[in-house]
Amino acid sequence: MKIELGQDDYLLSKNQASPVFCDFDCLVNAHMLVMGKTGMGKTTFLRRVIQQMHHFSPAPRIHIMDVHGDIDLSGTSSVRFSESTEYGLNPFVVSQDRHFGGVRKRVQDFIATINGCRPIGSRQEAVMRHLITDLYAANGFYADNYKSWVLHDGIDRKYPKRYPTMDDACRYAFVKLKQLIIGSDTQAGRALEELNKITTKLYKINKQLSAPGAKPDGDLLEKAMDLRQKAIKSYKAYIENLETGKELEDFIKYESKEVLKSVVERFENLKASGIFKNQQPPFDPSNPVWHYDITALREDEKRMFVEFRLQEIFSSALERGPVRREDEGMLRDIMIIDEAHLFFREDENNILNTIAKEGRKFGLGLICASQSPTHFSEDFFSNVATKIVLGVDQMYWDNLVRKMKVESKYMQYIKPFQVIGAQMSNKGETRSRFTMVRVPNSRVHN
């Protein structure tokens, strides 16, 4: 599996033809970083790479995350995502793998991705974790029972078992909020809330009576006795009206109306984004190239979409286990990420950093393009095997020279659509050579 980048420019100047290949069988991994400011040919380069990868055998699945709508090549399976389309992603699909999957892992991944795109507070995070875990349990998926993580678990049900959806999460969270606002929809819940209020008042009075130097106060003692009687009555009402046995647990987990209301609003905003839908996108499974047109989404929505989709791909790869090269080749999935600065964070939980570090043995490759070396995380920059320089602004030359350990004079030789810089880390080599490459003059068209 290899891609021809062009001809060695130095040897070509000596009238010696010497093709330069990006050979994934020789490289330490299949990740590629492409740097070039606007007008330097990033889109053209990505198109040429995709067209060559299309002919790999066995063919990996190529996922094109297109933020501008300009990387759609003919012959791809293309789907547009927007608020008005009926298909999207379901963030609550559970991996059945007992080691890498499960409810708890899915909940953690969901919250980590949400936090990365738009952080939530610690109390909101705790309530969201409880809500999603309880939602899974309501649908027959239990965090502590890996046998329940499958859809067909052999249990007879009135309706077929299915994964929860964002619609379900919104409804479930709203029901919990409604219960809190009206004091619960059960008599036991109302009695428990009343008991909690009475106990709080009683605690304050007892604290006053037991304070050092406090004098006996007949009115306070009488009020305390009255509150004790009310507490006993409320506790009795709570016990007599128990229905599910989980009233106390729910009261503890969802005691703050304000926090729960903010989580409900967060779920509603996620639903309104148009990313999360119950219907899966209609990609052609027989076509190796899937084009995700996300131009209609807002910037924060694009970030969430890409991170959730990459998380799905990575989780699926983990479940399948290390790639079997003799049967599958070395690559299962290649992800093309344009405008990568939208998606990178200096965060160990960022899915792009995770794939950069762990994706190779599971057959995953990342090709990320952006305008400057500062747009990529340190984790990705240090782990990527192939670095392509199409031409960056002069203000970034020092940064690039330092990171790539090359001489600054090479930056001057780069010419848009003509000469690019390529640095590749091959297996067994301690130093990566920087090569000036003359690329084909003709641009790739649809």
Side-chain angles (χ1 to χ4, degrees):
M1 289 183 171
K2 57 186 178 182
I3 298 168
E4 183 175 350
L5 300 177
Q7 297 284 330
D8 186 308
D9 189 59
Y10 174 75
L11 294 178
L12 198 62
S13 68
K14 304 293 184 182
N15 295 320
Q16 300 178 37
S18 179
V20 178
F21 292 99
C22 178
D23 191 340
F24 294 115
D25 289 314
C26 298
L27 294 167
V28 295
N29 58 49
H31 307 322
M32 180 185 294
L33 177 156
V34 182
M35 291 169 282
K37 64 180 182 180
T38 302
M40 290 292 178
K42 290 194 302 296
T43 301
T44 299
F45 180 83
L46 291 176
R47 285 167 173 256
R48 186 177 295 116
V49 167
I50 295 166
Q51 285 191 336
Q52 292 189 62
M53 286 182 167
H54 197 172
H55 300 291
F56 283 175
S57 181
R61 173 77 66 209
I62 301 173
H63 305 266
I64 305 172
M65 303 296 169
D66 193 353
V67 300
H68 295 310
D70 54 2
I71 318 180
D72 185 16
L73 300 173
S74 60
T76 66
S77 179
S78 183
V79 175
R80 171 172 287 184
F81 295 87
S82 72
E83 185 179 350
S84 62
T85 55
E86 66 274 16
Y87 31 76
L89 306 178
N90 183 1
F92 301 123
V93 175
V94 177
S95 169
Q96 302 172 12
D97 190 281
R98 61 183 298 185
H99 303 294
F100 296 102
V103 171
R104 191 173 292 108
K105 179 68 164 57
R106 182 67 272 181
V107 173
Q108 290 171 340
D109 288 343
F110 177 85
I111 293 176
T113 304
I114 292 295
N115 256 328
C117 298
R118 191 179 296 171
I120 58 177
S122 58
R123 296 181 70 192
Q124 289 177 310
E125 183 176 325
V127 168
M128 185 176 287
R129 180 176 289 105
H130 290 314
L131 278 171
I132 301 173
T133 302
D134 290 349
L135 175 62
Y136 273 119
N139 283 271
F141 299 89
Y142 304 100
D144 56 355
N145 181 6
Y146 70 89
K147 294 181 180 178
S148 70
W149 301 345
V150 298
L151 287 176
H152 307 290
D153 54 10
I155 299 176
D156 291 331
R157 294 180 172 83
K158 184 176 181 181
Y159 300 103
K161 185 178 180 181
R162 64 175 180 81
Y163 297 116
T165 65
M166 187 57 71
D167 284 342
D168 296 330
C170 290
R171 284 193 294 266
Y172 191 82
F174 183 76
V175 168
K176 291 295 183 184
L177 178 61
K178 185 175 70 173
Q179 290 176 4
L180 274 184
I181 290 176
I182 66 175
S184 177
D185 61 352
T186 66
Q187 293 184 21
R190 288 192 291 271
L192 182 60
E193 186 171 21
E194 184 64 24
L195 174 62
N196 185 65
K197 292 177 181 178
I198 293 170
T199 305
T200 301
K201 293 178 182 178
L202 185 59
Y203 170 76
K204 292 179 180 178
I205 291 176
N206 286 333
K207 194 173 181 181
Q208 293 179 46
L209 292 173
S210 61
K215 297 179 180 180
D217 188 321
D219 290 339
L220 277 179
L221 286 170
E222 184 177 347
K223 192 172 183 180
M225 291 297 295
D226 182 55
L227 286 172
R228 286 192 183 97
Q229 292 301 317
K230 287 183 178 180
I232 292 171
K233 183 178 179 181
S234 294
Y235 185 73
K236 182 180 178 182
Y238 164 66
I239 296 297
E240 290 177 347
N241 289 285
L242 282 176
E243 295 178 3
T244 66
K246 295 185 177 181
E247 285 83 357
L248 178 58
E249 182 182 342
D250 282 353
F251 186 82
I252 294 172
K253 290 192 292 189
Y254 309 118
E255 54 86 20
S256 171
K257 298 182 182 69
E258 291 74 21
V259 174
L260 183 54
K261 186 172 185 294
S262 68
V263 173
V264 170
E265 291 172 349
R266 189 63 182 270
F267 277 138
E268 291 291 347
N269 289 336
L270 290 173
K271 177 184 174 182
S273 70
I275 297 172
F276 306 108
K277 304 286 180 66
N278 301 344
Q279 188 174 333
Q280 292 296 306
F283 284 113
D284 180 0
S286 64
N287 193 318
V289 184
W290 288 3
H291 174 254
Y292 302 73
D293 185 349
I294 57 176
T295 55
L297 302 179
R298 297 197 318 266
E299 186 172 300
D300 59 329
E301 294 170 348
K302 292 174 182 177
R303 186 179 300 116
M304 277 195 298
F305 181 93
V306 170
E307 291 205 26
F308 273 108
R309 182 61 185 128
L310 294 190
Q311 187 67 60
E312 286 181 357
I313 295 170
F314 183 65
S315 296
S316 176
L318 288 180
E319 190 172 347
R320 293 169 68 181
V323 66
R324 299 178 299 276
R325 295 197 176 193
E326 61 278 5
D327 300 323
E328 306 173 90
M330 69 170 295
L331 288 171
R332 288 172 176 159
D333 294 272
I334 300 172
M335 291 140 280
I336 313 290
I337 315 293
D338 193 15
E339 301 297 349
H341 63 278
L342 296 176
F343 314 110
F344 272 109
R345 309 189 304 273
E346 292 294 349
D347 176 4
E348 62 180 9
N349 293 318
N350 179 246
I351 187 60
L352 290 169
N353 293 332
T354 301
I355 293 175
K357 290 182 288 188
E358 305 175 24
R360 180 190 61 80
K361 64 181 176 182
F362 298 105
L364 302 181
L366 271 175
I367 299 179
C368 298
S370 198
Q371 297 181 14
S372 97
T374 61
H375 288 170
F376 303 94
S377 69
E378 291 294 329
D379 268 348
F380 184 69
F381 211 99
S382 62
N383 281 285
V384 67
T386 305
K387 301 176 179 71
I388 303 294
V389 183
L390 304 178
V392 298
D393 194 278
Q394 193 170 351
M395 68 179 292
Y396 297 116
W397 284 10
D398 289 342
N399 181 286
L400 198 57
V401 165
R402 177 179 56 82
K403 284 187 172 183
M404 298 182 67
K405 303 292 189 293
V406 298
E407 297 181 47
S408 59
K409 66 179 182 180
Y410 288 119
M411 300 298 109
Q412 304 174 29
Y413 299 146
I414 294 173
K415 297 179 181 178
F417 304 102
Q418 297 180 49
V419 180
I420 65 174
Q423 187 180 65
M424 291 174 277
S425 300
N426 291 315
K427 298 172 186 174
E429 294 182 358
T430 57
R431 188 173 180 83
S432 304
R433 178 171 172 259
F434 190 80
T435 306
M436 305 306 298
V437 181
R438 183 164 293 276
V439 298
N441 290 325
S442 58
R443 299 193 183 188
V444 180
H445 299 283
N446 278 342

